[in-house]
C-alpha cells in the first residue's frame, strides 16, 4: 500500500507546479524506497517457493518409489486349467482335483416307489453310503467318467480300414491313462470287445489277428473300467452302412426301455418282457425285404458286484417267468442285443476271454506251469476278466496248455465268442445303473 500512495503524490506535484529540480530528486527517492520493499517481498516469496519446490520434489520422489515397488511385485500367474488331450491320455485326478466326479443321469422310480425321492430316511441312507469307502458312488462315477471320455473319442476315431488290434489298443491305452491304472485298485474292467456282424459278444483279437474293419460291418464296442472293484460296463454299436440303422435304433430303444422299467422290487421277468416288446416292434429292410428285429433270447444283462462282472442275477431280453426282484443298492448292467437272424447265439471261434471263478475251488494242480500261471492271474487280474493279450502284456508266454488246464479244473472260466447264424447282423447297447435308495442313476449316460 505505501508504494502506491507515494506515486500518486508525485504525480499531483508534477501537474500543479513548474518543473523543479525537487521533482527528480523526489522521484528517485520514491523509486529507492519501492525497490527496497519489493526486494524484501520477493525474498520472502522466493523462500516460500523454494520450500514448496522441495516439498513437491519429496512427494514426487515418494510417489515414484511406491510405483517402483508395485512394478517389482510379481503378479501371481493364474494356473492354466488342465484340459483333456486328444487322444485322451490325461488322468482324471488332474481334471477333477477335488475327487468329486459327475453324477450320472437321474431317473425317478415309477409308481409305488416314487415316494423314495422325498423320503428323509432314504436320503439319510444315501448320505451314509457316500461316507462308506465300500459303498460310495464316487468309485463308479470315476469309472463312468473315464468310459465317457474314452468312448467319445472312440466314436470319432474308429473308421473302416483300421485293424481290430489298433482299435482295442487305442481304447485300452486311453482307459489305463485316464483311470490311472494301479494294480487291482483301478484299471480295465474286462477285455475290450469288438465283435463283428453276426458275432454278438466276447470277441477281442488275440496276438497275430489281422482282421480289418470293413465299411459294411456292424461293430459292437464293449469295454469296462473299474475303480476299487466297482466295474462300469457299457457298450455301443457302430455301422457305416445305412441299411442297419434301424437295427441299431431298435436295440438302443430296447436298452432305454430296460433302464426305464428297472427299479427296486421290480421282477426281472417283467423287465425282459418290456425289452422284447420294444425291440421286436422294429423292422429292418434288407435287399428290399423287411425283417423283424429279434431280441437274442439266450443273452442277458446282469447284476454287478465288486470284482465280479456277473453278480448272480440275469436280466433276460425276452419275456420269462423269473420272479427274482431287483434290490436297493444293487448295480445292474442293462444290455440288450438284437439280431436280423434267429435271435439265438452259439459259441464259435477261438476263445480270447477268460476269468478266474469268483468262488474257484481249491484243487491240486498237477502242472507246474498251471500253478505259475494262476499266481500271475491272481496278481494281475484277481477275479476280473482278462484276455490272452493281457497275459502277453504281463510277460507270460507259452501258457495255452496251462490256461486250458485251469479251465478244465474249474478254476478259470472260458468265454468263447457268441455268434448268431452266418449272414445275420447283431447290435448291442448297454449302460450300468445304480438302484440308489432315492433314485435310479444311469452312471455312464452321455
Amino acid at each position: 500500500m505505501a508504494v502506491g500512495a507515494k506515486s500518486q503524490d508525485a504525480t499531483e506535484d508534477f501537474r500543479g507546479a513548474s518543473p523543479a529540480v525537487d521533482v527528480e530528486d523526489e522521484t528517485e527517492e520514491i523509486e529507492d524506497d519501492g525497490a527496497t520493499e519489493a526486494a524484501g517481498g520477493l525474498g520472502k516469496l522466493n523462500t516460500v517457493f523454494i520450500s514448496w519446490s522441495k516439498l513437491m520434489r519429496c512427494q514426487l520422489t515418494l510417489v515414484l518409489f511406491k510405483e517402483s515397488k508395485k512394478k517389482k511385485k510379481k503378479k501371481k500367474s493364474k494356473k492354466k486349467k488342465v484340459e483333456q488331450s486328444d487322444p485322451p491320455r490325461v488322468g482324471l485326478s488332474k481334471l477333477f482335483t477335488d475327487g468329486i466326479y459327475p453324477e450320472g443321469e437321474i431317473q425317478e422310480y415309477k409308481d409305488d416307489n416314487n415316494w423314495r425321492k422325498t423320503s428323509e430316511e432314504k436320503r439319510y441312507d444315501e448320505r451314509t453310503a457316500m461316507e462308506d469307502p465300500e459303498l460310495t458312488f464316487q468309485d463308479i462315477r470315476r469309472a463312468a467318467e473315464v468310459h465317457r471320455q474314452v468312448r467319445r473319442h472312440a466314436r470319432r476315431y474308429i473308421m473302416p480300414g483300421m485293424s481290430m488290434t489298433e482299435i482295442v489298443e487305442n481304447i485300452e491305452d486311453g482307459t489305463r491313462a485316464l483311470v490311472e491304472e494301479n494294480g487291482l485298485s483301478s484299471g480295465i474292467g474286462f477285455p475290450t470287445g469288438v465283435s463283428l456282424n453276426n458275432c454278438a459278444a466276447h470277441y477281442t483279437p488275440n496276438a497275430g489277428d489281422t482282421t480289418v474293419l470293413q465299411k459294411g460291418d456292424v461293430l459292437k464296442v464293449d469295454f469296462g473300467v473299474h475303480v476299487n472293484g466297482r466295474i462300469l460296463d457299457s457298450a455301443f454299436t457302430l455301422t457305416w452302412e445305412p441299411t442297419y440303422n434301424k437295427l441299431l435304433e431298435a436295440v438302443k430303444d430296447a436298452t432305454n426301455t430296460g433302464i426305464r422299467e428297472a427299479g427296486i422290487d421290480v421282477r426281472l421277468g417283467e423287465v425282459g418282457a418290456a425289452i422284447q416288446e420294444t425291440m421286436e416292434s422294429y423292422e429292418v429292410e434288407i435287399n428290399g425285404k423287411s425283417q423283424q428285429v429279434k431280441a437274442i433270447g439266450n443273452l442277458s444283462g446282469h447284476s454287478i458286484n465288486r470284482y465280479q462282472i456277473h453278480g448272480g442275477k440275469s436280466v433276460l431280453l425276452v419275456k420269462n417267468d423269473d420272479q427274482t426282484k431287483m434290490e436297493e443298492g444293487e448295480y445292474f448292467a442293462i444290455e440288450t442285443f438284437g439280431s436280423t437272424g434267429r435271435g439265438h447265439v452259439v459259441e464259435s471261434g477261438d476263445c480270447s476271454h477268460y476269468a478266474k471263478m469268483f468262488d474257484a475251488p481249491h484243487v491240486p494242480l498237477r502242472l507246474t506251469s498251471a500253478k505259475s500261471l494262476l499266481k500271475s492271474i491272481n496278481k494281475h487280474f484277481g477275479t476280473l476278466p482278462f484276455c490272452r493279450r493281457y497275459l502277453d502284456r504281463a510277460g507270460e508266454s507259452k501258457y495255452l496248455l496251462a490256461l486250458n488246464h485251469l479251465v478244465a479244473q474249474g478254476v478259470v472260466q472260458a468265454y468263447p465268442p457268441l455268434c448268431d447264424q452266418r449272414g445275420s447282423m447283431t447290435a448291442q447297447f448297454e449302460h450300468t445303473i445304480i438302484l440308489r435308495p432315492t433314485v435310479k442313476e444311469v452312471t455312464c449316460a452321455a
Side-chain angles (χ1 to χ4, degrees):
M1 291 296 292
V3 173
K6 288 188 177 180
S7 297
Q8 188 177 4
D9 291 342
T11 306
E12 287 175 354
D13 288 344
F14 179 75
R15 289 173 181 172
S18 59
V21 177
D22 291 345
V23 174
E24 186 175 349
D25 293 339
E26 183 74 11
T27 305
E28 286 179 2
E29 189 177 333
I30 291 167
E31 287 174 353
D32 289 341
D33 290 345
T36 303
E37 288 195 26
L42 287 169
K44 288 178 182 177
L45 286 171
N46 192 38
T47 303
V48 171
F49 177 75
I50 291 167
S51 299
W52 179 81
S53 298
K54 286 180 178 179
L55 179 62
M56 290 303 293
R57 281 199 299 270
C58 288
Q59 287 180 339
L60 182 61
T61 303
L62 184 62
V63 169
L64 291 171
F65 176 71
K66 287 181 177 179
E67 287 295 323
S68 65
K69 283 193 76 177
K70 284 182 182 178
K71 287 179 182 178
K72 285 179 182 178
K73 283 184 179 178
K74 290 183 179 178
K75 291 183 179 179
K76 290 183 180 178
S77 57
K78 291 183 180 179
K79 287 186 177 179
K80 190 177 179 182
K81 187 179 178 181
V82 179
E83 295 182 352
Q84 188 53 267
S85 60
D86 186 18
R89 296 294 183 269
V90 178
L92 283 200
S93 67
K94 296 177 179 65
L95 303 175
F96 299 89
T97 53
D98 58 0
I100 305 300
Y101 299 95
E103 185 178 55
E105 178 188 304
I106 299 302
Q107 292 188 15
E108 295 180 14
Y109 290 118
K110 295 174 59 180
D111 306 327
D112 294 342
N113 266 326
N114 192 254
W115 62 272
R116 289 174 168 273
K117 186 180 180 182
T118 56
S119 167
E120 286 299 325
E121 179 187 351
K122 295 304 176 185
R123 287 179 178 179
Y124 174 78
D125 289 344
E126 282 200 355
R127 289 194 297 271
T128 304
M130 287 297 287
E131 294 168 2
D132 187 331
E134 292 193 5
L135 299 177
T136 180
F137 304 138
Q138 288 305 322
D139 288 342
I140 196 68
R141 287 174 183 166
R142 178 179 159 195
E145 183 60 24
V146 170
H147 198 286
R148 195 158 29 240
Q149 293 193 24
V150 174
R151 181 175 76 229
R152 188 182 301 130
H153 171 73
R155 281 182 171 275
R156 299 193 311 267
Y157 171 79
I158 298 171
M159 293 295 291
M162 298 176 67
S163 70
M164 295 296 103
T165 300
E166 186 180 359
I167 292 169
V168 297
E169 286 182 348
N170 181 272
I171 290 172
E172 290 164 358
D173 288 348
T175 300
R176 290 187 176 105
L178 269 62
V179 80
E180 293 157 304
E181 186 177 42
N182 180 26
L184 292 177
S185 296
S186 60
I188 289 174
F190 53 83
T192 303
V194 283
S195 303
L196 289 170
N197 304 332
N198 68 309
C199 183
H202 297 170
Y203 162 76
T204 196
N206 290 321
D209 190 322
T210 58
T211 305
V212 173
L213 181 64
Q214 304 298 319
K215 188 177 179 181
D217 288 338
V218 177
L219 171 68
K220 279 74 63 184
V221 182
D222 187 357
F223 69 101
V225 189
H226 90 92
V227 176
N228 294 320
R230 284 296 180 198
I231 306 169
L232 190 288
D233 186 358
S234 184
F236 60 94
T237 300
L238 296 174
T239 184
W240 294 264
E241 173 50 66
T243 300
Y244 303 111
N245 286 346
K246 275 293 180 182
L247 171 63
L248 272 62
E249 186 181 333
V251 181
K252 191 172 186 178
D253 193 7
T255 296
N256 290 335
T257 297
I259 292 170
R260 188 169 58 250
E261 294 299 319
I264 296 168
D265 294 331
V266 173
R267 300 181 191 279
L268 299 179
E270 294 172 0
V271 180
I275 288 171
Q276 183 178 22
E277 182 180 2
T278 298
M279 191 178 304
E280 296 188 352
S281 67
Y282 284 82
E283 291 184 345
V284 179
E285 187 174 315
I286 302 173
N287 297 325
K289 183 180 178 182
S290 291
Q291 292 183 221
Q292 183 185 41
V293 177
K294 293 181 182 176
I296 299 181
N298 59 336
L299 288 179
S300 66
H302 48 88
S303 59
I304 307 174
N305 297 335
R306 288 189 73 205
Y307 293 103
Q308 186 180 19
I309 188 64
H310 293 155
K313 293 183 178 180
S314 296
V315 185
L316 292 175
L317 315 183
V318 294
K319 185 177 180 180
N320 62 90
D321 297 326
D322 190 346
Q323 299 299 302
T324 305
K325 291 183 179 181
M326 294 178 161
E327 299 177 59
E328 181 182 307
E330 288 186 320
Y331 289 63
F332 276 89
I334 303 297
E335 63 180 320
T336 69
F337 297 84
S339 175
T340 61
R342 292 178 305 221
H344 184 88
V345 293
V346 295
E347 295 178 357
S348 176
D350 290 339
C351 187
S352 56
H353 286 50
Y354 299 86
K356 181 188 172 186
M357 299 290 288
F358 196 78
D359 52 355
H362 294 281
V363 296
L365 299 173
R366 56 186 179 82
L367 293 178
T368 304
S369 58
K371 294 177 184 177
S372 176
L373 181 61
L374 181 58
K375 186 177 179 180
S376 180
I377 290 170
N378 286 332
K379 176 184 176 182
H380 294 102
F381 315 113
T383 53
L384 294 170
F386 59 93
C387 63
R388 283 156 60 175
R389 282 186 300 106
Y390 295 179
L391 290 175
D392 299 336
R393 191 172 184 271
E396 296 297 324
S397 61
K398 299 179 180 179
Y399 50 75
L400 275 180
L401 180 63
L403 184 58
N404 289 333
H405 184 64
L406 292 174
V407 171
Q409 294 298 312
V411 177
V412 169
Q413 175 74 48
Y415 296 93
L418 299 172
C419 305
D420 203 337
Q421 67 189 82
R422 286 185 179 277
S424 64
M425 292 292 183
T426 60
Q428 172 196 19
F429 283 93
E430 175 182 22
H431 281 308
T432 296
I433 65 171
I434 314 172
L435 300 182
R436 288 167 44 181
T438 60
V439 291
K440 190 170 26 179
E441 182 174 345
V442 188
T443 57
C444 51

